[in-house]
Amino acid sequence: MNRNDLRRVDLNLLIVFETLMHERSVTRAAEKLFLGQPAISAALSRLRGLFDDPLFVRTGRSMEPSARAVEIFALLSPALDSISTAVSRAAEFDPATSTAVFRIGLSDDVEFALLPMLLKRLRAESPGIVLVVRRVNYILMPGLLASGEISIGVSYTIDLPANAKRKVLRRSLPKLLRADTVPGPLSLDDFCARPHALVSFAGDLSGFIDEELEKLGRKRHVVLAVPQFNGLSTLISGTDIVATVPDYTAEALTAAGGVRAEDPPLPMRSFELHMAWRGSQDNDPGERWLRSRIQMFFGDPDSLEQPGDQR
């Protein structure tokens, strides 16, 4: 196919194809693209004619891509990224007048402790924009970035899509949160004897604290696991339960009163909070503006003088 033949190709069809590859479902693709299922089915029929291949075969409730579809996707996805980059570079962005919709992913600790400060700045600087926040963690982040459901994610991360970019926002140390009236810091024996609360997205009853305790030949007893940080101080108020949380989360929880924070009575490693974003939107003016604000309000205080992206 030469360049002139491209005139008969509807770019919208390629977007539908990419979405179907991510979702493996006509229903979910329709929801993602804000279209009706008949429109997605019609687009799939046209795609099959365009590529002379079934593309997807229904297996149970899922649609499995053919070998040809996998081959097309490997070539098409970076091409669509390039088109998106070319268009975004030509676009202008004025925070004061923009009505853009930004879709970002935040881990629970970041949403609870850091988002309020960012939101105040965004509302003052760009009152017309819309911010859509999705809950992410290191497991959910890659898929949401790859599918385009979010353009930026802030969380601890491990693996990311090949075209994603990442930078460290801050290195955080854990703090021990307690609501009792016993004076003085807890000793290691006290720490291990106390009941513990744990914030776990997946409902786990152990975490990195247990790994550190194991190195010392010690254990703790978790009596409460909750999925989010919001409300943690209320839950442990009036009890002898303690919780270990990121330092920036401890600051937000203690500011509301009823709990206090101190250093844990055992050596703790720091952990990194990352910002990751889609490579195809690396140079988008609006996305760059938003990433700079996230760096400003989510990053380490000593990094505020250099809020730009590091690639």
Side-chain angles (χ1 to χ4, degrees), residues 96-217:
T97 60
S98 176
T99 58
V101 178
F102 294 99
R103 299 179 183 275
I104 66 174
L106 303 178
S107 57
D108 175 67
D109 52 317
V110 172
E111 180 184 339
F112 168 71
L114 302 177
L115 178 59
M117 294 184 295
L118 173 67
L119 187 59
K120 288 183 178 65
R121 175 60 178 262
L122 298 185
R123 292 299 303 157
E125 192 171 342
S126 188
I129 68 166
V130 176
L131 192 67
V132 179
V133 178
R134 299 284 300 273
R135 181 64 54 79
V136 300
N137 57 18
Y138 71 94
I139 298 172
L140 299 175
M141 178 92 80
L144 291 172
L145 281 173
S147 67
E149 292 179 69
I150 61 173
S151 60
I152 304 170
V154 180
S155 175
Y156 168 72
T157 62
I158 300 178
D159 298 319
L160 290 173
N163 68 339
K165 295 178 178 289
R166 172 172 56 189
K167 72 174 298 183
V168 176
L169 285 177
R170 66 164 66 199
R171 290 176 174 85
S172 176
L173 286 170
K175 290 288 186 179
L176 178 64
L177 201 70
R178 50 190 292 203
D180 60 85
T181 58
V182 178
L186 291 184
S187 67
L188 181 58
D189 287 339
D190 293 334
F191 180 82
C192 294
R194 285 290 189 93
H196 287 250
L198 175 69
V199 178
S200 169
F201 182 86
D204 298 322
L205 290 176
S206 64
F208 74 95
I209 300 296
D210 302 278
E211 297 173 4
E212 298 299 327
L213 285 172
E214 188 176 1
K215 295 176 184 177
L216 302 174

Side-chain angles (χ1 to χ4, degrees), residues 201-266:
F201 182 86
D204 298 322
L205 290 176
S206 64
F208 74 95
I209 300 296
D210 302 278
E211 297 173 4
E212 298 299 327
L213 285 172
E214 188 176 1
K215 295 176 184 177
L216 302 174
R218 308 297 292 266
K219 292 183 178 180
R220 65 172 177 169
H221 180 46
V222 175
V223 300
L224 174 67
V226 294
Q228 58 190 23
F229 287 92
N230 188 23
L232 182 60
S233 57
T234 301
L235 290 172
I236 70 172
S237 178
T239 75
D240 59 349
I241 298 174
V242 297
T244 308
V245 302
D247 50 16
Y248 51 87
T249 308
E251 185 176 346
L253 287 166
T254 56
V259 294
R260 67 186 190 276
E262 63 189 49
D263 292 331
L266 69 160

Side-chain angles (χ1 to χ4, degrees), residues 36-100:
Q37 291 186 39
I40 299 296
S41 297
L44 178 56
S45 178
R46 292 176 62 190
L47 283 163
R48 286 167 168 161
L50 176 64
F51 292 113
D52 191 24
D53 188 88
L55 297 178
F56 297 93
V57 178
R58 183 169 295 281
T59 304
R61 295 184 177 181
S62 178
M63 298 176 63
E64 294 301 318
S66 66
R68 175 67 175 141
V70 173
E71 177 186 347
I72 293 168
F73 181 68
L75 296 170
L76 180 63
S77 189
L80 289 175
D81 282 346
S82 297
I83 292 171
S84 176
T85 298
V87 172
S88 65
R89 284 180 177 176
E92 295 183 356
F93 179 78
D94 179 6
T97 60
S98 176
T99 58

